[in-house]
Amino acid sequence: MDYVSYLEYKGKHKGLLGWLLSTDHKRIAILYLVSLIVFFLVAMTIGFLMRLEMLSTGKTIVNPQTYNALFTLHGVIMIFLFIIPGIPVVFGNFFLPIMLGAKDVAFPRLNLLSWYFYIFGALLVILSLFVGGGPIDTGWTFYVPYSLRTQSNVTLAVFAAFVIGFSSILTGLNFIVTIHRMRCPGMSWFKMPLFVWGLYSTSWIQLLATPILGITLVLIMAERLFGIGIFDPALGGDPLLYQHLFWIYSHPAVYIMVLPAMGLVSEIIPTFSKKDIFGYGPIAMSSLAIAFIGYLVWGHHMFSTGISDTSRAIFSFLTFIVAIPSGVKVFNWVATMYKGSIETRAPFLFVVAFIIVFSIGGLTGLVLGSLNTDIHLTDTYFVVAHFHYVMFGGMGLLFFGGLHYWFPKMFGKMYNEGTAKFGLLLFVVGFNTLYFPMFIMGYLGMPRRYYDYLPEYKIYHIISTVGSWILIAGILILIINLVRALLKKERLTEKNPWGGTTLEWQVDTPPTLENFEEIPVVEHGPYYRDNLIKPGKSH
Amino acid sequence: MSENTHTQQHPGYGLYILVWAGLVGLTTITVALAGFNLAGLTVVTALAIAIVKSLLVTNYFMHVRTDSPVFRVFIFVCIAIFIVVIVLTFFDLTYRFPLK
Amino acid sequence: MNNEATINHGHAHRDDLGSKMGMWLFLLTELLLFGGMFILYASYRYMYADNFKVAAMHLDTLIGSVNTILLLTSSLTVALSIAALQRKQTRFSVYLLLFTIVAGGAFLVNKYFEWSAKIGHGIYPKGPEMANLSDGEVIFYGLYYVMTGLHALHVIVGLVFIGFMVVFILKGKQTFDNFQRLENAGLYWHLVDIIWIFLFPLFYLIH
C-alpha cells in the first residue's frame, strides 16, 4: 500500500472540511493546536498590555475598569482555553492511541465534538467582550457577591466557561475508555508509557472535578438571572460556600495542568539519557496519588477568608502531603539521568529548565501552604509569582517542550535546533526576570490585581515588565522557528530522529491515517533498550 | 474473543419485580418514619434507607452486581471523592457555625 | 483489567463493554453535578436546620411519594424491556419502554402542578411572598427549585433517549444480540431515578 500521511489523506470531505469534520485523532489534535496557540497569543498580548500599564503608578495606558477586565480575561483565556486543555488535547489526542498501539481513540466522534464545544465556548468568551455590560471584571475566580452585582457580562462569560467544561469532560472520558479498552496485545497496564499514566490520572480529574465547577457556574447564572439566592448574603447565602465549591474544582484543575506535563518529562528524559526510566512503578503511582490527594487541599486558597481554624490546619497539612509524590517524580527523573548518556538536544533542555523552574514554584507553594506565612503573602504578588512559576514554567514551558520533541513526528519537518535553544534561553531569562521580582515585591506587600501602587514598588515593576519583553521575544522566536520549519520544502522521513523507544517512534513520519498497518504486539516495557546501560558499567 | 452481550447473565423478570417490590416497601417505610420525631436520627435514617434503595437499583437494575468489577471500582472512586470533599467542607462549617 | 479483555485486534469491532464504560463515566459526571448541589444542601441544612423543617412542611408529601413510585416503576419497566429484548419479545419490550415514557411524563406533569401551586402562592425566586420568609426558608426554596428543576431537565433528556430507543428497536437497530444502546439509555434512566431517591426524603420528609 502506498504511503499517505494523515496530513495528505483524502477522505470523504475535501479541503478545509476534511479537517473540520475529521474524526482522525491526529487531525483533531492539529485543530486544537492551532486554536490553543491563537488563544495563547491573545492572552499573552493581554499580559503584555497589563505589564505596560504597571510600568508606572497611576494610569499608563488604560483606565482601572479596563485593567480589571484585562486581568480577568488574561486568566480566563489562559486557564480555560490554553493550560487546562493544553497537553492532553494536542499531544494526548495525537499520541495516546499511537503509544497504545491503537488506530484511534475509543470515541472518535465525541473527540471531534469536544473540539466544537471548545470553539463554541471560546466564541462565547469573545462575544462577552462586546455584548451587554462589557467585558467581565471579577477576576477569573468570579467570586460572589461581586460577580452577582457587577454590571459586566458575567452571565455570558460564565456560560462560556461552562461550555468549555464539556470539552474537558469529553476528553477525559474518551481517554479513560481508550486506555482501558484499546491497549495492543502485550501492553499490560505496567507496560504503558508514563505519559499515558499522566493522561489517565488527568482524565479522572477532568471527569470528576469539572462537573462541580459546572454546577457552581450554573448557580451564578441562576442567581443573576432568577435571583435564586444560594450564595447571596443578602438572602441568607454564604459566599464562602461559593469559594469552597469553586476551589473544589479549581485546585484539582492545576493537577489537570501539570500531570500531563510531568508525564511528558518521563518520556523525554529516558530518550535523551539513552537509558531505561528509573522507578517506573513509583512514577506511575505518584500520578494517581497526586490526582487523588489534589482533591483534598483546596482550602489553602481560602486561608484568610474566615474559615475555621481546624479546617485551615487540616488543609495546610494535606497541602504539604501532596508535595511528596511530586518529589518522588523529581528524584526518579534525576536517577534516570544518572550514569546515562545525556544528549542535550532542545527537548531535553526544555525539561531541564522545567525541573528548575517548577521546583522554585513548588517550594514557594509550601511557603504559601504554611498558615502563618500565607497570612502575609496571600493576595500579594508572591502568589502571582508562585502560580506563574508552576503553571507557566511548568505546563507552559513543557507545552513548547513537547512541541519540540514531537514536532518532527507530527509534521515530517525538522526545525533549526540552534534557534530553538536560543529561543529557550530568552524564554528562561525573560521568565525569571518577569516573575522573580514578583516574589520580592509580594513579600514587601504589593497586592495582586491592583491597578495602582506605592512608589516603593516601582523598580520591581519596571524590571518585571522588561522581563516580559524578553520572554515574549523568546516565545516569538520559538514559534516562528517552528512555523519556518513547517514551510520548508525539505521533508523528514526518519521514523526515530531522537532515538526514542515508545511506539510513536516506530510508525511513519508523519503517521498514516490508521497509524499502524498491523497492530503491534508488545513484549518489553516502554523504555527498554537492547543496549541497556546498566548502573556501574561505563558506555 | 467477543465478550459482547450474551455472555452476561442478566436477571430474569421475577428478580426485577422482587427488587421493585423491595423498593416500594422501603419507600413506604421512609414515608411512615417521617411521621415520627426521631430528633438527631432523622437524617441518618432517611439517608440509610435511600442508600439501600440506591444499592438495589445499582446492583440489580443497572447490573453492577453481575458486570465486570471495573464498574464497581469506578463508582467507588467517585463516591470516595464525594464523601471526602463533603467531610472536609464540614470541618469548616461545624466550627464556623457551632451547634448550640 | 487484564490484557485479553481489550478489543484492539486491529479490525473494526463493536465494543459493548467500552460503550457501557463510556456511559458509566458520563453518569459519574452527572452524579458529581448533583453532588455539588447536595453539598450545598447539606451545608445549608446544617446552618438552617429549623427553618428547613418549616419550609419543608409546605411541600406536598403525597405528590412526592407518587412521583417516587412512578420513577421506581419506570426503572422496573426499563430493566424489564432489556430482558424482553434479549428474549426476542420485541413487542413487549417496546410496550415496556412506552410505559416508561408515560410514567416519566406523569412525573413531569406532577412537577408542573407542584411548581404552579408554589408560584401561585408567590413562593418563587424574587416572588412576592419570599420577603416574608426567613433566610433559611428562602435558601430552602432556592435549593428546591434548582435541584428539582435540574432533575426535571434530566428526566426530559432521559425520556428523549428512551424515545430514540423505541425507534431503534422498531427499525431493527437494537436486537436480541445488539442492545448496548438500550442498556445505556436504561443506565441513564436509573441514574435519574437514584437522584430522585435522594431528593425525595431530603426535601419532602424532613418534619
Side-chain angles (χ1 to χ4, degrees):
Chain A
M1 201 166 90
D2 287 331
Y3 164 73
V4 180
S5 86
Y6 77 97
L7 291 166
E8 282 142 2
Y9 175 78
K10 291 203 188 337
K12 214 165 50 169
H13 306 280
K14 302 284 182 290
L16 188 60
L17 274 187
W19 282 84
L20 292 176
L21 296 177
S22 171
T23 56
D24 175 8
H25 64 102
K26 300 182 287 296
R27 287 199 169 186
I28 295 174
I30 304 296
L31 287 176
Y32 267 115
L33 176 63
V34 172
S35 324
L36 252 66
I37 297 220
V38 165
F39 288 113
F40 171 79
L41 290 173
V42 168
M44 183 185 85
T45 308
I46 296 178
F48 170 73
L49 292 172
M50 284 162 61
R51 284 310 323 158
L52 275 186
E53 170 54 42
M54 297 305 274
L55 263 180
S56 70
T57 57
K59 174 174 174 165
T60 314
I61 51 168
V62 294
N63 62 37
Q65 177 64 31
T66 310
Y67 185 73
N68 288 356
L70 284 179
F71 69 66
T72 304
L73 275 172
H74 175 78
V76 166
I77 296 177
M78 278 298 189
I79 290 177
F80 292 117
L81 293 177
F82 177 64
I83 313 184
I84 287 180
I87 291 180
V89 299
V90 177
F91 305 113
N93 265 323
F94 201 104
F95 289 104
L96 174 66
I98 300 179
M99 282 181 156
L100 295 180
K103 294 192 174 181
D104 209 311
V105 292
F107 306 113
R109 285 174 300 182
L110 278 189
N111 205 5
L112 183 62
L113 182 64
S114 81
W115 183 73
Y116 278 102
F117 271 122
Y118 171 91
I119 292 295
F120 180 49
L123 288 175
L124 287 174
V125 170
I126 296 175
L127 190 62
S128 78
L129 300 177
F130 303 110
V131 174
I136 181 174
D137 61 349
T138 58
W140 80 276
T141 45
F142 314 123
Y143 274 8
V144 303
Y146 185 65
S147 58
L148 301 177
R149 309 259 192 272
T150 175
Q151 294 307 309
S152 68
N153 222 333
V154 172
T155 311
L156 193 53
V158 153
F159 180 61
F162 178 75
V163 169
I164 298 169
F166 275 107
S167 174
S168 196
I169 289 176
L170 286 179
T171 302
L173 190 155
N174 221 337
F175 284 3
I176 292 176
V177 180
T178 306
I179 294 170
H180 273 268
R181 301 293 297 155
M182 297 181 77
R183 285 164 287 125
C184 62
M187 190 178 284
S188 62
W189 280 83
F190 286 93
K191 290 211 176 76
M192 301 191 310
L194 287 168
F195 183 57
V196 177
W197 277 102
L199 288 176
Y200 185 70
S201 316
T202 304
S203 297
W204 274 103
I205 308 177
Q206 284 178 290
L207 196 79
L208 296 185
T210 315
I212 306 230
L213 180 72
I215 191 68
T216 312
L217 296 177
V218 164
L219 287 172
I220 298 273
M221 292 188 276
E223 295 221 25
R224 282 180 72 92
L225 293 173
F226 307 118
I228 301 259
I230 292 188
F231 296 122
D232 193 341
L235 295 169
D238 181 13
L240 284 187
L241 275 179
Y242 169 83
Q243 291 193 27
H244 275 299
L245 282 186
F246 179 83
W247 288 110
I248 287 173
Y249 164 73
S250 299
H251 189 86
V254 313
Y255 297 109
I256 298 178
M257 301 173 194
V258 93
L259 280 174
M262 288 174 152
L264 181 50
V265 172
S266 300
E267 295 298 319
I268 291 179
I269 290 188
T271 300
F272 294 99
S273 309
K274 305 296 172 214
K275 204 171 154 237
D276 198 352
I277 192 85
F278 185 95
Y280 176 97
I283 296 181
M285 291 299 108
S286 70
S287 291
L288 292 178
I290 292 173
F292 180 67
I293 306 175
Y295 276 98
L296 311 183
V297 302
W298 80 84
H300 66 226
H301 298 271
M302 299 167 64
F303 280 155
S304 67
T305 56
I307 58 175
S308 77
D309 286 341
T310 310
S311 70
R312 295 196 300 168
I314 293 175
F315 278 120
S316 177
F317 173 70
L318 290 167
T319 303
F320 273 74
I321 299 279
V322 82
I324 296 177
S326 302
V328 163
K329 284 188 197 278
V330 175
F331 291 136
N332 280 303
W333 291 331
V334 174
T336 306
M337 290 191 255
Y338 178 66
K339 295 213 174 165
S341 178
I342 310 282
E343 254 199 309
T344 55
R345 308 298 296 270
F348 182 76
L349 293 178
F350 274 92
V351 161
V352 171
F354 159 81
I355 293 182
I356 299 173
V357 169
F358 186 78
S359 297
I360 297 176
L363 288 171
T364 53
L366 291 176
V367 172
L368 289 169
S370 320
L371 288 174
N372 21 27
T373 41
D374 185 79
I375 295 300
H376 296 280
L377 299 172
T378 195
D379 276 338
T380 66
Y381 262 75
F382 193 94
V383 178
V384 176
H386 160 73
F387 66 67
H388 280 95
Y389 265 83
V390 285
M391 293 205 291
F392 192 8
M395 179 276 169
L397 191 52
L398 281 177
F399 181 82
F400 288 101
L403 208 45
H404 283 79
Y405 183 52
W406 276 316
F407 185 90
K409 176 62 64 177
M410 289 165 80
F411 300 108
K413 301 273 169 72
M414 192 53 186
Y415 51 85
N416 183 313
E417 228 186 307
T419 314
K421 291 183 181 181
F422 178 65
L424 174 61
L425 178 66
L426 282 185
F427 186 114
V428 171
V429 168
F431 181 91
N432 284 289
T433 312
L434 166 57
Y435 293 117
F436 202 85
M438 292 188 184
F439 281 128
I440 303 175
M441 55 169 155
Y443 174 76
L444 293 174
M446 170 76 206
R448 68 183 285 200
R449 293 178 170 163
Y450 268 43
Y451 168 80
D452 201 355
Y453 53 86
L454 296 171
E456 65 210 61
Y457 300 115
K458 185 160 185 177
I459 178 65
Y460 302 104
H461 278 294
I462 295 179
I463 298 174
S464 189
T465 303
V466 170
S468 77
W469 300 336
I470 303 174
L471 172 63
I472 289 178
I475 292 176
L476 291 177
I477 289 178
L478 288 173
I479 294 181
I480 293 174
N481 190 30
L482 291 178
V483 170
R484 285 180 65 198
L486 273 179
L487 299 172
K488 272 203 277 204
K489 286 238 169 25
E490 198 184 317
R491 292 265 327 261
L492 176 82
T493 48
E494 164 65 55
K495 285 186 186 179
N496 197 352
W498 308 120
T501 54
T502 38
L503 283 176
E504 78 268 28
W505 304 111
Q506 293 175 27
V507 299
D508 293 306
T509 298
T512 58
L513 177 73
E514 294 201 322
N515 307 328
F516 302 95
E517 265 187 52
E518 255 180 55
I519 297 298
V521 177
V522 158
E523 280 169 27
H524 298 294
Y527 310 105
Y528 175 83
R529 289 167 183 270
D530 283 331
N531 56 339
L532 260 183
I533 297 174
K534 295 203 170 43
K537 276 204 191 134
S538 62
H539 182 46
Chain B
M1 162 186 135
S2 160
E3 75 286 287
N4 286 336
T5 66
H6 27 263
T7 53
Q8 243 111 44
Q9 281 309 312
H10 284 167
Y13 294 143
L15 185 54
Y16 283 136
I17 296 181
L18 206 57
V19 169
W20 172 82
L23 287 169
V24 173
L26 285 167
T27 309
T28 317
I29 295 177
T30 199
V31 173
L33 279 180
F36 296 101
N37 181 4
L38 298 169
L41 285 182
T42 326
V43 182
V44 177
T45 21
L47 279 182
I49 295 178
I51 289 175
V52 173
K53 287 165 82 177
S54 307
L55 284 172
L56 282 175
V57 173
T58 315
N59 277 314
Y60 293 101
F61 286 171
M62 298 172 93
H63 309 136
V64 167
R65 197 153 197 271
T66 45
D67 274 351
S68 158
V70 75
F71 296 110
R72 260 166 274 176
V73 174
F74 283 3
I75 298 171
F76 173 74
V77 166
C78 179
I79 296 190
I81 287 178
F82 177 69
I83 291 187
V84 142
V85 162
I86 238 188
V87 164
L88 280 173
T89 309
F90 266 79
F91 268 114
D92 172 36
L93 289 173
T94 45
Y95 287 88
R96 268 199 297 142
F97 304 100
L99 285 175
K100 294 173 186 60
Chain C
M1 298 195 228
N2 61 33
N3 204 53
E4 285 72 36
T6 67
I7 48 80
N8 185 3
H9 306 295
H11 46 273
H13 201 105
R14 200 181 83 215
D15 180 15
D16 282 352
L17 187 59
S19 173
K20 189 179 342 201
M21 221 183 244
M23 176 49 83
W24 262 109
L25 291 173
F26 178 64
L27 293 186
L28 296 185
T29 70
E30 296 278 43
L31 260 180
L32 281 161
L33 188 80
F34 280 93
M37 289 303 309
F38 279 110
I39 294 175
L40 284 174
Y41 174 92
S43 308
Y44 281 126
R45 170 140 175 197
Y46 173 78
M47 284 158 58
Y48 294 116
D50 294 326
N51 282 324
F52 262 45
K53 291 200 185 106
V54 169
M57 290 205 290
H58 294 291
L59 290 183
D60 191 329
T61 309
L62 181 59
I63 296 190
S65 308
V66 166
N67 269 350
T68 306
I69 303 291
L70 279 172
L71 281 188
L72 290 175
T73 314
S74 68
S75 262
L76 168 68
T77 48
V78 143
L80 288 175
S81 82
I82 302 173
L85 189 62
Q86 279 180 291
R87 288 159 177 70
K88 301 195 192 174
Q89 294 166 340
T90 314
R91 271 265 201 93
F92 187 36
S93 177
V94 171
Y95 285 146
L96 286 163
L97 288 179
L98 290 175
F99 179 90
T100 307
I101 295 179
V102 168
F107 177 95
L108 290 173
V109 168
N110 280 340
K111 210 90 289 7
Y112 171 78
F113 284 125
E114 265 194 290
W115 278 33
S116 302
K118 286 272 160 308
I119 293 173
H121 283 130
I123 300 180
Y124 58 94
K126 294 211 256 207
E129 190 52 30
M130 296 301 258
N132 301 338
L133 298 176
S134 67
D135 281 349
E137 289 170 276
V138 170
I139 299 275
F140 177 88
Y141 286 116
L143 287 169
Y144 167 76
Y145 276 111
V146 173
M147 291 180 85
T148 57
L150 201 59
H151 178 259
L153 269 175
H154 283 77
V155 169
I156 295 175
V157 169
L159 292 179
V160 169
F161 244 135
I162 293 179
F164 268 100
M165 291 308 125
V166 169
V167 172
F168 284 160
I169 294 177
L170 291 174
K171 285 192 166 177
K173 288 187 178 180
Q174 291 286 281
T175 61
F176 73 97
D177 65 347
N178 177 9
F179 54 85
Q180 191 54 51
R181 286 184 180 178
L182 175 62
E183 199 180 347
N184 286 349
L187 287 175
Y188 189 83
W189 189 255
H190 294 307
L191 180 80
V192 167
D193 185 19
I194 289 180
I195 293 169
W196 183 259
I197 286 176
F198 282 93
L199 282 182
F200 173 57
L202 292 177
F203 279 103
Y204 292 82
L205 299 182
I206 40 173
H207 298 318

Short mmCIF file of all heavy atoms in Angstrom, two decimals, chain A residues 367-385:
data_model
loop_
_atom_site.label_atom_id
_atom_site.label_comp_id
_atom_site.label_asym_id
_atom_site.label_seq_id
_atom_site.Cartn_x
_atom_site.Cartn_y
_atom_site.Cartn_z
N VAL A 367 5.65 27.53 51.00
CA VAL A 367 5.64 28.77 51.79
C VAL A 367 4.20 29.26 51.92
O VAL A 367 3.76 29.67 53.00
CB VAL A 367 6.51 29.85 51.11
CG1 VAL A 367 6.34 31.18 51.81
CG2 VAL A 367 7.96 29.42 51.10
N LEU A 368 3.46 29.20 50.81
CA LEU A 368 2.06 29.64 50.84
C LEU A 368 1.18 28.65 51.59
O LEU A 368 0.14 29.00 52.10
CB LEU A 368 1.55 29.84 49.42
CG LEU A 368 2.13 31.05 48.70
CD1 LEU A 368 1.78 31.01 47.21
CD2 LEU A 368 1.62 32.34 49.32
N GLY A 369 1.63 27.40 51.64
CA GLY A 369 0.82 26.39 52.31
C GLY A 369 0.94 26.43 53.82
O GLY A 369 0.14 25.81 54.53
N SER A 370 1.92 27.15 54.32
CA SER A 370 2.03 27.29 55.78
C SER A 370 1.16 28.45 56.22
O SER A 370 1.23 29.54 55.67
CB SER A 370 3.47 27.59 56.21
OG SER A 370 4.36 26.85 55.45
N LEU A 371 0.35 28.21 57.25
CA LEU A 371 -0.65 29.20 57.64
C LEU A 371 -0.05 30.56 57.97
O LEU A 371 -0.52 31.60 57.50
CB LEU A 371 -1.43 28.70 58.85
CG LEU A 371 -2.40 27.56 58.52
CD1 LEU A 371 -3.03 27.04 59.80
CD2 LEU A 371 -3.46 28.05 57.57
N ASN A 372 1.00 30.60 58.81
CA ASN A 372 1.47 31.91 59.25
C ASN A 372 2.09 32.73 58.12
O ASN A 372 1.88 33.94 58.04
CB ASN A 372 2.44 31.81 60.43
CG ASN A 372 3.06 30.44 60.52
OD1 ASN A 372 3.21 29.73 59.53
ND2 ASN A 372 3.42 30.06 61.73
N THR A 373 2.84 32.09 57.24
CA THR A 373 3.41 32.86 56.14
C THR A 373 2.32 33.24 55.13
O THR A 373 2.37 34.32 54.53
CB THR A 373 4.52 32.08 55.41
OG1 THR A 373 4.12 30.71 55.28
CG2 THR A 373 5.81 32.14 56.18
N ASP A 374 1.34 32.38 54.98
CA ASP A 374 0.31 32.67 53.98
C ASP A 374 -0.47 33.94 54.33
O ASP A 374 -0.85 34.70 53.44
CB ASP A 374 -0.67 31.50 53.85
CG ASP A 374 -1.68 31.74 52.74
OD1 ASP A 374 -1.31 31.56 51.57
OD2 ASP A 374 -2.81 32.16 53.06
N ILE A 375 -0.70 34.16 55.61
CA ILE A 375 -1.47 35.35 56.01
C ILE A 375 -0.82 36.62 55.47
O ILE A 375 -1.49 37.57 55.09
CB ILE A 375 -1.59 35.41 57.55
CG1 ILE A 375 -2.42 34.23 58.04
CG2 ILE A 375 -2.23 36.71 57.99
CD1 ILE A 375 -3.82 34.20 57.49
N HIS A 376 0.52 36.64 55.45
CA HIS A 376 1.19 37.83 54.94
C HIS A 376 1.25 37.87 53.42
O HIS A 376 1.25 38.93 52.83
CB HIS A 376 2.61 37.89 55.49
CG HIS A 376 2.65 38.05 56.97
ND1 HIS A 376 2.47 39.27 57.59
CD2 HIS A 376 2.82 37.13 57.96
CE1 HIS A 376 2.54 39.09 58.90
NE2 HIS A 376 2.74 37.82 59.15
N LEU A 377 1.33 36.69 52.82
CA LEU A 377 1.61 36.63 51.38
C LEU A 377 0.38 36.45 50.52
O LEU A 377 0.45 36.65 49.31
CB LEU A 377 2.59 35.50 51.10
CG LEU A 377 3.94 35.66 51.81
CD1 LEU A 377 4.79 34.41 51.64
CD2 LEU A 377 4.68 36.87 51.25
N THR A 378 -0.74 36.05 51.11
CA THR A 378 -1.91 35.79 50.29
C THR A 378 -2.41 37.06 49.63
O THR A 378 -2.32 38.15 50.19
CB THR A 378 -3.03 35.14 51.13
OG1 THR A 378 -3.99 34.59 50.24
CG2 THR A 378 -3.72 36.15 52.03
N ASP A 379 -2.89 36.91 48.40
CA ASP A 379 -3.38 38.05 47.63
C ASP A 379 -2.32 39.11 47.35
O ASP A 379 -2.62 40.26 47.03
CB ASP A 379 -4.60 38.72 48.29
CG ASP A 379 -5.89 38.00 47.91
OD1 ASP A 379 -5.88 37.31 46.86
OD2 ASP A 379 -6.88 38.13 48.64
N THR A 380 -1.03 38.73 47.47
CA THR A 380 0.03 39.62 47.04
C THR A 380 0.64 39.07 45.75
O THR A 380 0.24 38.01 45.26
CB THR A 380 1.17 39.70 48.08
OG1 THR A 380 1.81 38.42 48.14
CG2 THR A 380 0.66 40.11 49.43
N TYR A 381 1.63 39.79 45.25
CA TYR A 381 2.32 39.34 44.04
C TYR A 381 3.10 38.05 44.26
O TYR A 381 3.51 37.41 43.30
CB TYR A 381 3.25 40.45 43.50
CG TYR A 381 2.61 41.23 42.38
CD1 TYR A 381 1.61 42.16 42.64
CD2 TYR A 381 2.98 41.01 41.06
CE1 TYR A 381 1.01 42.86 41.61
CE2 TYR A 381 2.39 41.70 40.03
CZ TYR A 381 1.40 42.63 40.31
OH TYR A 381 0.79 43.32 39.28
N PHE A 382 3.32 37.69 45.52
CA PHE A 382 4.01 36.42 45.79
C PHE A 382 3.20 35.27 45.19
O PHE A 382 3.76 34.36 44.59
CB PHE A 382 4.18 36.24 47.30
CG PHE A 382 5.14 35.15 47.69
CD1 PHE A 382 6.48 35.45 47.95
CD2 PHE A 382 4.72 33.82 47.77
CE1 PHE A 382 7.37 34.45 48.30
CE2 PHE A 382 5.61 32.82 48.11
CZ PHE A 382 6.94 33.13 48.38
N VAL A 383 1.90 35.34 45.38
CA VAL A 383 1.03 34.29 44.84
C VAL A 383 1.07 34.30 43.32
O VAL A 383 1.15 33.25 42.67
CB VAL A 383 -0.43 34.50 45.32
CG1 VAL A 383 -1.33 33.44 44.72
CG2 VAL A 383 -0.50 34.47 46.82
N VAL A 384 1.04 35.50 42.75
CA VAL A 384 1.10 35.62 41.28
C VAL A 384 2.37 34.98 40.76
O VAL A 384 2.35 34.22 39.78
CB VAL A 384 1.03 37.11 40.87
CG1 VAL A 384 1.18 37.24 39.36
CG2 VAL A 384 -0.28 37.73 41.31
N ALA A 385 3.49 35.27 41.44
CA ALA A 385 4.75 34.66 41.01
C ALA A 385 4.69 33.14 41.15
O ALA A 385 5.07 32.40 40.24
CB ALA A 385 5.91 35.21 41.85
#
